[in-house]
Amino acid sequence: MKQVLAGDRSIVLGVYHHFKGKLYEVVDVVRDCDTLEYKVLYRALYYDVQKHIVPGDFFYRDVDEFLSDVDREKYPDVTQRERFKLVSPNL
């Protein structure tokens, strides 16, 4: 299992399930050039014609937000606890 450090946290590289149902692959941890904050770099593994998202499109998110639990007040019917749940680690 490959992990990368993000300050005092570590992120496992691999495929994650977002609580809204889509799959993403975490490819690395990067730093914001202005703030030096750590960000999780991940790419979509799905098509979304409405949002013009194709497999391979990259996104980034703050490490703390990526590792956070779902806001139950905002999303009371969601069954997944984590915002992103690891489903297949890279070897």
Side-chain angles (χ1 to χ4, degrees):
M1 191 165 41
K2 293 184 180 180
Q3 296 184 14
V4 290
L5 292 178
D8 62 348
R9 319 271 311 258
S10 66
I11 306 292
V12 175
L13 301 182
V15 176
Y16 284 76
H17 179 264
H18 186 265
F19 76 96
K20 291 183 180 177
K22 304 292 187 191
L23 291 176
Y24 297 90
E25 180 184 13
V26 171
V27 295
D28 210 346
V29 171
V30 297
R31 294 184 82 176
D32 184 290
C33 65
D34 294 321
T35 66
L36 299 180
E37 293 176 314
Y38 290 98
K39 309 285 185 180
V40 177
L41 179 67
Y42 56 97
R43 63 179 164 207
L45 297 177
Y46 63 91
Y47 285 98
D48 187 324
V49 176
Q50 300 279 336
K51 294 181 181 179
H52 304 285
I53 296 172
V54 298
D57 281 355
F58 282 94
F59 302 92
Y60 69 91
R61 185 178 298 267
D62 291 333
V63 171
D64 289 339
E65 186 178 1
F66 184 86
L67 295 173
S68 69
D69 288 344
V70 175
D71 181 344
R72 293 294 180 184
E73 289 183 22
K74 190 172 180 180
Y75 302 101
D77 299 328
V78 172
T79 58
Q80 183 171 306
R81 181 178 59 84
E82 308 93 336
R83 178 177 292 276
F84 288 90
K85 182 176 183 175
L86 182 64
V87 293
S88 179
N90 289 354
L91 301 176

